[in-house]
Amino acid sequence: MSKNLVGNHIRKLRFNHHEMTQQQLADKVGVTRQTIVALEKGNYSPSLELAFRIALAFGLPLEEVFFYGDHPKE
Amino acid sequence: MSKNLVGNHIRKLRFNHHEMTQQQLADKVGVTRQTIVALEKGNYSPSLELAFRIALAFGLPLEEVFFYGDHPKE
DNA sequence: TTTGAATGTAAAATAAACTTGACATGATGT
DNA sequence: ACATCATGTCAAGTTTATTTTACATTCAAA
């Protein structure tokens, strides 16, 4: 229950821009691969701190990686 | 231990722009007052979802309310 | 001087994020 | 055929966010 209202572009970014594996991203931001899997699947939304680190890993502002609602920022 | 690396401008925003009480903000974003207190004190960083809701309550982009590191965005 | 708002603080409980470890699958290459 | 790498999944455990309850303080208003 209790829908997750936060979405993200992690998977897309990982492939398109950065050719990164789940494990590599996980290492880069300091979590386990399972966490990345869960986030890509939309199981839950990360802590704000982790969100910042992931955005940083992609060199993007947080709001270009994560969005609120079903509003993929364009 | 384990420093919190995420900072915010909640208190400032609450006073300056919006004349909002802790309770009002809490209600508006759907948490308890204690949560707001803890965030203002920097006890921990919120979930990404809550961060989005708070930013929304102020009508600001997330990164103008929360910042990573000791970098109050300008 | 009492009453009521706004805030600070703090402990115990629940929920959500995150870890650890393990096993399964499909693809790729040898 | 075997090995490896990237991914998916699942259960149990730890840590962190959030709630609930409760009490103390300051200040302004009646």
Side-chain angles (χ1 to χ4, degrees), chain B:
Chain B
M1 310 268 142
S2 89
K3 227 180 186 174
N4 178 14
L5 291 174
V6 177
N8 67 76
H9 300 301
I10 296 181
R11 183 166 261 266
K12 221 173 313 171
L13 289 167
R14 206 159 54 73
F15 286 133
N16 298 351
H17 293 237
H18 300 268
E19 294 287 347
M20 242 183 187
T21 176
Q22 291 178 334
Q23 188 63 63
Q24 290 172 324
L25 178 55
D27 290 346
K28 199 160 186 183
V29 302
V31 296
T32 61
R33 188 174 65 85
Q34 312 301 53
T35 299
I36 304 297
V37 172
L39 294 180
E40 290 192 356
K41 282 210 312 169
N43 282 1
Y44 47 71
S45 75
S47 66
L48 179 54
E49 197 167 337
L50 177 52
F52 268 120
R53 292 205 302 270
I54 292 176
L56 234 97
F58 287 134
L60 291 173
L62 193 148
E63 294 180 272
E64 286 183 28
V65 182
F66 299 92
F67 50 92
Y68 189 64
D70 10 84
H71 261 316
K73 187 188 186 182
E74 115 219 34

Side-chain angles (χ1 to χ4, degrees), chain A:
Chain A
M1 315 270 140
S2 90
K3 227 181 185 173
N4 178 14
L5 291 174
V6 177
N8 68 75
H9 301 300
I10 296 181
R11 183 166 262 264
K12 222 173 313 172
L13 287 167
R14 206 160 52 73
F15 286 133
N16 298 352
H17 293 236
H18 299 269
E19 292 288 346
M20 241 180 188
T21 178
Q22 291 177 335
Q23 187 65 63
Q24 289 172 323
L25 178 55
D27 291 346
K28 199 161 185 180
V29 303
V31 296
T32 61
R33 189 173 65 86
Q34 314 299 53
T35 300
I36 304 297
V37 173
L39 293 181
E40 291 192 355
K41 283 213 309 171
N43 281 2
Y44 47 71
S45 74
S47 65
L48 179 55
E49 196 166 337
L50 177 52
F52 269 120
R53 292 206 301 270
I54 292 177
L56 232 96
F58 288 132
L60 292 173
L62 192 149
E63 294 181 274
E64 287 183 27
V65 183
F66 299 93
F67 51 91
Y68 188 65
D70 11 83
H71 263 316
K73 188 189 186 182
E74 113 220 35

